[in-house]
Amino acid sequence: MSSSNDDVQPGVPAVETASMDAMVETERADPREELAKTDHDTELGIAMAEDAKRVSQGEISAEAYWEKYDAAAEQEFGDAYRETPNPSIESTDQTIDAGTADSLSCTIGSMESVACEIDAAESVEGGAAPEDRKARWGMVIDLQKCVGCDSCTVACKAENRTPPGVSYNVVMEEEHGEFPNVTRTNVPRPCMQCEEPPCVQVCPVSATYKMDNGVVNIDYDRCIGCRYCMIACPYGARYFDFGENYDDEVEEAGEITSPEYGVDRGKREDGKSPIGNVRKCSFCTHRLERGEEPACVETCVGDARNMGDLNDPDSDVAEMADSTRSFQLKESEGTDPNVYYLK
Amino acid sequence: MATDTSHFEFDPGFTDNRLRVAWYAALAVLLIVGGAAMILRITDGMASTNLTSTTPWGAWVAFYIYFVGLSAGAFLVSTLANVFGVSGMHRVDRDALFAAIISMVVALMFVWVDLGRMDRMFFPFIWRQLTSALSWEVHAYVAYIAVLVTELYFSMRIDLARVAERGSGLRARLSGLLTLGRRSTSEASRTTDRKWLTRAGILGIPLAIFLVHGGTGILFAVSKARPYWNSGLFPVIFIVSAVLSGTALVMMLYVLRTKLFDDEPVDRNLLNRLAVLLAAFIVVDAALTGIEMLIAIASLHPHEVETWAVILFGEMSWSFWWFMVGMGWLFPLVMLSKREWRETPWLMVLAGLSVVIGIIAVRFNIVVPPQILPVMKGLPHGSYFPSAVEWATSIGMIAVGLLLYTIGAELLPLTPLDRGDH
Ligand code: SF4
Ligand code: SF4
């Protein structure tokens, strides 16, 4: 539908860009006033700031900039200037390297996590440094918050590109009572990453085993597909890959696979692992390794799913797993799952 | 020596050539069907089965434990002669051993097709897991086959040497090879053979009972996730039903081979002895199964009660009532109830066959029902009946076993040349 006022979009106020820029200008602090609050030279600061804008617009090079101001800055700031790493000089992508960061006890990560680490480091004075403590990944699912939308199941299928019949996560729905007094509980079920996993115990070729970080791994190159682990798992968390595909539903469905456990296996092809193997949730190990949450946690509509380090007593998940609302599925099995639920 | 007197004649195998042709033709048909199904199994992978992630084990696993049981049972019958010196049993001991070996070969074929990755069948010998019953089992099977072959060798060697010495043609040459160079037919050499036979048998008994068949039962019993299997009595029932099917098989083979191959009268005393043994095992098997069921139901554990409900009244309850109770227990018990019937060869073949088929249902009812109920409420229910490919490959693999057995029975002195009455 063509109309005369193409630019106007529903829900977006019709404001000229110029007037928006003006709004920004009024909000911006006056540089002179700000710099006047410091002990340092206001004129130098203004000049450096103006030229820094030109650097970012590509009008002058970073090298030229530092050539121009290096001496003046050293004179102004003294030793502190020389000791502070300068990203734009030390590396081409304007970052500082890990070694330098370390020497300055900078921590990589969000401000919040940096603050936490500093707290922890200070509080364990003389104790083990936090880096020596091994992380144990755990998940806490708040059943009060779960709305049973199955988004996690869908996100998991998309992330791990699981074939038909394989679903690392399911939401078990249970109705209690009789009409009209009915309640419904939705219990999402990933792999529990048990501390005492019966699946690991029974595998004849030790193709499935527990990793340092608490996640139970499956080595697709070793698994012989005997399915004993599926028999042993009390949570029905394991699925056999029968080699089916979504070819009818999606074009080029098998073109890409998920780099589960950090291994990129290329295209999905007949007779190639993981076809003929047993598969299960890996807590999205490949995402954890690059600092992301598992897909189900990230996507959860009700924010019911939480991921973190259970070995860190101050982490959110450890605190939740410790609460009186917390329980594990089939506790009597002695499997000690690393997935906790809040009732 | 007993056989020196008459002129030497060694011609085991079918006495009726038409029967031989018909038998091999029937096997050929089964092998072709099975072979075609096997091609489908390999090209389509596990998708050719009716298995699902809820019911991951099916017909192949049931047949696998069935043949392991058959083997362990047949072997234990052979030890009656070799180790315990029960008189009159020597006649069947080689037959029992040979059938035990073939059963094990068939069992391993079933394990093999059941693997999601058939190409990785040797992996369990490269990587192990101390806590895995299955890991121990594959090693026990190999050791057990070695014991069986050793036993058969010592049991049969003297006759192999006789055939090699006095016979002619293919059989003589084959027998010569199989003596492994020990060609003496003297009494001294027979005594050595007997000594080693007993030793191997003594080693074999615990191996067969505890490791091979008990172990296969343990493989199931340790899965705490399936309360139906998770019981101490379970491996015991496994062994008893194994001995039951093995005895039935040996009895059946004895009659058939004596009639069709040796063309001799059946020893009625021996037949009666085997039949009484069989009846005793049936009673013990049924009693233990009843105990197991009562304990399970009295526990009121929902999973156990519901699993038994599935067995007794579910979709597949016909396999329990008709095959397990009917063919496995009741029909043979009736057949075995009268001495007169117990000494009638053809009736005993029927009773044996009935048990051998009935125990197949026992195995299916062990493997499948606990996988019908989901391990947790809210997960999907299973439903399983083997696919055409599963049936046809199973028939094919059983036909391979029958073929191997027949060829062996046609070429080897499975019936002692002195008729076992030394
Ligand atoms: S939930 Fe099942 S698959 Fe996952 S670790 Fe536990 S036993 Fe193994
Ligand atoms: S299916 Fe694979 S992972 Fe599972 S027990 Fe067998 S070999 Fe191990």
Side-chain angles (χ1 to χ4, degrees):
Chain A
M1 188 179 81
S2 74
S3 73
S4 53
N5 48 357
D6 268 350
D7 295 345
V8 181
Q9 305 220 330
V12 177
V15 187
E16 294 289 307
T17 31
S19 61
M20 286 203 254
D21 287 352
M23 287 155 78
V24 173
E25 260 329 286
T26 40
E27 288 298 313
R28 192 165 74 99
D30 179 48
R32 273 180 199 284
E33 270 173 34
E34 288 301 309
L35 286 171
K37 295 177 194 161
T38 73
D39 300 339
H40 296 292
D41 183 355
T42 305
E43 289 311 317
L44 178 65
I46 298 283
M48 284 179 80
E50 285 304 316
D51 277 342
K53 284 190 212 162
R54 294 170 62 205
V55 172
S56 60
Q57 280 154 9
E59 285 169 24
I60 57 170
S61 70
E63 285 76 21
Y65 177 89
W66 286 109
E67 218 166 282
K68 188 167 166 191
Y69 291 111
D70 196 39
E74 180 170 20
Q75 201 182 8
E76 183 66 29
F77 301 109
D79 287 348
Y81 171 70
R82 279 287 164 237
E83 278 163 17
T84 309
N86 189 329
S88 51
I89 303 179
E90 289 177 17
S91 94
T92 46
D93 62 358
Q94 309 234 326
T95 57
I96 51 174
D97 62 26
T100 318
D102 220 30
S103 73
L104 287 161
S105 67
C106 296
T107 316
I108 302 162
S110 70
M111 282 321 286
E112 192 192 11
S113 66
V114 172
C116 285
E117 297 265 338
I118 290 169
D119 279 355
E122 278 164 3
S123 61
V124 290
E125 212 86 301
E131 296 87 68
D132 294 346
R133 192 197 59 218
K134 268 191 255 140
R136 174 163 56 96
W137 289 110
M139 191 183 279
V140 179
I141 304 177
D142 189 338
L143 298 182
Q144 301 283 335
K145 287 185 179 174
C146 173
V147 295
C149 65
D150 274 305
S151 300
C152 43
T153 308
V154 176
C156 173
K157 282 203 79 80
E159 173 67 33
N160 290 298
R161 301 192 154 257
T162 49
V166 177
S167 184
Y168 296 166
N169 183 81
V170 294
V171 180
M172 304 183 296
E173 289 163 10
E174 240 187 84
E175 273 188 14
H176 315 271
E178 262 175 43
F179 181 81
N181 297 319
V182 264
T183 55
R184 194 165 102 160
T185 332
N186 309 299
V187 184
R189 193 249 34 216
C191 164
M192 304 289 135
Q193 319 295 352
C194 308
E195 272 303 284
E196 307 292 340
C199 56
V200 167
Q201 183 194 342
V202 300
C203 176
V205 292
S206 41
T208 188
Y209 51 86
K210 208 152 169 63
M211 299 193 289
D212 276 357
N213 60 8
V215 175
V216 172
N217 186 350
I218 302 178
D219 181 346
Y220 292 146
D221 293 324
R222 187 184 286 191
C223 166
I224 58 175
C226 67
R227 311 187 292 294
Y228 197 6
C229 50
M230 302 175 68
I231 294 292
C233 172
Y235 303 98
R238 292 184 162 242
Y239 293 82
F240 187 74
D241 191 333
F242 284 90
E244 282 163 60
N245 290 304
Y246 284 117
D247 285 340
D248 295 340
E249 289 85 355
V250 190
E251 260 177 59
E252 302 185 335
E255 281 305 298
I256 328 170
T257 52
S258 160
E260 284 177 70
Y261 309 104
V263 184
D264 186 3
R265 292 175 185 276
K267 266 164 74 165
R268 183 169 164 83
E269 279 165 48
D270 278 353
K272 196 171 101 176
S273 284
I275 293 175
N277 295 129
V278 167
R279 307 178 61 172
K280 68 164 192 75
C281 156
S282 65
F283 267 4
C284 280
T285 302
H286 58 286
R287 290 175 60 100
L288 291 176
E289 273 168 4
R290 44 178 204 243
E292 295 171 16
E293 293 183 311
C296 56
V297 175
E298 190 176 77
T299 212
C300 180
V301 174
D303 198 18
R305 302 176 86 121
N306 304 275
M307 188 76 191
D309 177 6
L310 286 173
N311 274 352
D312 174 0
D314 295 326
S315 71
D316 288 349
V317 283
E319 276 168 17
M320 283 190 267
D322 242 5
S323 85
T324 48
R325 282 172 63 206
S326 140
F327 73 103
Q328 296 157 310
L329 288 184
K330 291 197 174 180
E331 277 167 24
S332 61
E333 294 277 332
T335 47
D336 191 10
N338 277 325
V339 174
Y340 289 82
Y341 293 85
L342 300 182
K343 44 184 170 230
Chain B
M1 253 172 277
T3 44
D4 275 348
T5 48
S6 59
H7 80 278
F8 190 77
E9 209 186 281
F10 176 63
D11 186 21
F14 290 100
T15 46
D16 183 343
N17 213 20
R18 273 178 314 173
L19 198 59
R20 172 183 283 138
V21 173
W23 175 244
Y24 281 112
L27 284 186
V29 171
L30 297 183
L31 286 172
I32 289 168
V33 172
M38 192 61 100
I39 291 172
L40 282 178
R41 154 71 184 92
I42 290 170
T43 51
D44 295 357
M46 292 298 279
S48 62
T49 66
N50 277 349
L51 297 170
T52 58
S53 287
T54 309
T55 315
W57 280 358
W60 289 329
V61 172
F63 275 117
Y64 141 62
I65 59 172
Y66 172 73
F67 281 100
V68 171
L70 211 54
S71 174
F75 165 77
L76 291 175
V77 173
S78 84
T79 60
L80 288 181
N82 297 332
V83 179
F84 301 106
V86 176
S87 66
M89 296 288 279
H90 276 289
R91 173 86 193 218
V92 291
D93 99 42
R94 293 176 198 169
D95 223 5
L97 284 171
F98 191 57
I101 295 172
I102 303 289
S103 294
M104 252 354 259
V105 171
V106 175
L108 290 183
M109 277 196 288
F110 274 104
V111 178
W112 181 51
V113 281
D114 189 61
L115 292 185
R117 297 294 308 233
M118 291 170 74
D119 51 323
R120 297 182 181 168
M121 60 183 174
F122 55 90
F123 277 22
F125 300 104
I126 305 179
W127 293 290
R128 296 179 177 80
Q129 171 65 274
L130 279 182
T131 53
S132 167
L134 191 53
S135 180
W136 284 91
E137 278 314 283
V138 289
H139 294 89
Y141 296 155
V142 173
Y144 173 61
I145 293 179
V147 168
L148 290 177
V149 172
T150 312
E151 281 225 63
L152 185 60
Y153 169 77
F154 284 117
S155 167
M156 200 164 62
R157 188 208 57 85
I158 194 159
D159 282 349
L160 287 172
R162 284 177 188 151
V163 173
E165 188 181 302
R166 283 167 273 170
S168 58
L170 173 68
R171 286 191 184 116
R173 259 179 292 140
L174 181 71
S175 298
L177 275 180
L178 292 179
T179 57
L180 303 179
R182 290 178 60 237
R183 298 278 191 113
S184 162
T185 56
S186 65
E187 266 313 310
S189 73
R190 173 195 281 262
T191 316
T192 318
D193 282 354
R194 288 253 167 261
K195 201 166 71 198
W196 281 100
L197 182 58
T198 310
R199 284 180 185 167
I202 288 171
L203 182 67
I205 291 171
L207 194 63
I209 296 184
F210 300 116
L211 271 166
V212 172
H213 209 61
T216 308
I218 288 166
L219 202 144
F220 289 86
V222 291
S223 9
K224 214 164 46 166
R226 320 266 168 177
Y228 173 72
W229 291 332
N230 189 216
S231 112
L233 199 51
F234 198 75
V236 179
I237 297 185
F238 238 71
I239 295 165
V240 173
S241 53
V243 177
L244 173 57
S245 63
T247 315
L249 178 76
V250 171
M251 186 174 82
M252 192 171 86
L253 288 178
Y254 166 63
V255 175
L256 288 178
R257 232 167 37 76
T258 315
K259 287 262 176 195
L260 302 177
F261 284 23
D262 301 343
D263 196 16
E264 280 176 15
V266 171
D267 175 350
R268 284 168 192 270
N269 259 331
L270 176 56
L271 191 59
N272 183 43
R273 185 168 295 155
L274 285 171
V276 169
L277 213 55
L278 186 63
F281 289 142
I282 292 178
V283 172
V284 177
D285 187 44
L288 287 181
T289 309
I291 291 173
E292 173 83 353
M293 182 178 78
L294 283 180
I295 294 176
I297 292 177
S299 78
L300 296 183
H301 187 298
H303 199 278
E304 299 227 40
V305 176
E306 283 169 44
T307 304
W308 273 101
V310 166
I311 295 172
L312 299 177
F313 316 110
E315 220 180 318
M316 301 290 289
S317 55
W318 53 267
S319 74
F320 177 79
W321 294 110
W322 288 103
F323 283 86
M324 195 164 154
V325 176
M327 293 183 75
W329 297 337
L330 287 184
F331 176 74
L333 265 188
V334 172
M335 292 289 100
L336 297 166
S337 60
K338 268 196 180 165
R339 178 162 190 136
E340 199 187 315
W341 289 348
R342 288 201 295 273
E343 294 183 354
T344 314
W346 290 113
L347 274 185
M348 286 305 98
V349 172
L350 217 59
L353 189 65
S354 174
V355 171
V356 166
I357 293 174
I359 299 290
I360 296 180
V362 173
R363 299 309 184 216
F364 270 83
N365 274 315
I366 283 172
V367 173
V368 180
Q371 302 177 71
I372 297 299
L373 290 177
V375 281
M376 279 194 299
K377 270 202 200 127
L379 293 178
H381 268 250
S383 153
Y384 172 76
F385 191 78
S387 70
V389 167
E390 286 175 273
W391 283 125
T393 47
S394 302
I395 290 169
M397 285 182 283
I398 294 169
V400 170
L402 291 174
L403 181 71
L404 290 176
Y405 177 81
T406 320
I407 292 176
E410 292 227 61
L411 294 178
L412 301 171
L414 289 185
T415 307
L417 292 179
D418 53 15
R419 294 306 178 240
D421 40 36
H422 47 272

